[in-house]
Amino acid sequence: MKRFIDAYRILDQNTADPFDVDQAFYQGAIPGLLRHLDPHSVFFDPGQFDQLRQMESSTQKGFGTVVSVLPGRVVVLQSLPNTPSEEGRHDAGR
């Protein structure tokens, strides 16, 4: 951690253009470190984490598709019964 802080301090003192510290950490350093240590985990910045918490506690229904969000793609896992997504799937086969 000391090396990381030292590298940040050097960059901060010697950069030609100012940079957004939150962006540097939340979109760069932390996700990069996590990808290196555990490629199967995903880092959520504070805003993304708040959205996740709201989604987990929400009772609002969506269109009925269970998806998995992977780096660079969204994978549809299933259509839930009695939802617009399932009805659309059946209509597509007609």
Side-chain angles (χ1 to χ4, degrees):
M1 196 58 153
K2 181 181 178 332
R3 288 182 182 172
F4 184 79
I5 293 168
D6 290 344
Y8 168 77
R9 186 175 299 122
I10 291 168
L11 177 64
D12 187 43
Q13 292 171 351
N14 296 296
T15 187
D17 297 316
F19 59 92
D20 182 340
V21 175
D22 285 345
Q23 183 178 7
F25 280 98
Y26 292 135
Q27 295 177 7
I30 296 171
L33 178 65
L34 183 59
R35 266 192 311 275
H36 180 73
L37 296 175
D38 182 6
H40 304 289
S41 295
V42 176
F43 173 77
F44 293 105
D45 68 33
Q48 292 169 325
F49 185 71
D50 286 343
Q51 286 179 335
L52 178 64
R53 298 292 298 203
Q54 288 173 3
M55 287 172 44
E56 287 177 339
S57 64
S58 175
T59 58
Q60 182 178 355
K61 301 291 183 200
F63 55 90
T65 300
V66 178
V67 298
S68 177
V69 180
L70 302 173
R73 64 182 177 193
V74 176
V75 178
V76 176
L77 300 176
Q78 79 180 95
S79 296
L80 299 175
N82 303 317
T83 63
S85 180
E86 182 191 43
E87 292 169 14
R89 187 172 59 96
H90 292 302
D91 292 342
R94 292 182 188 169

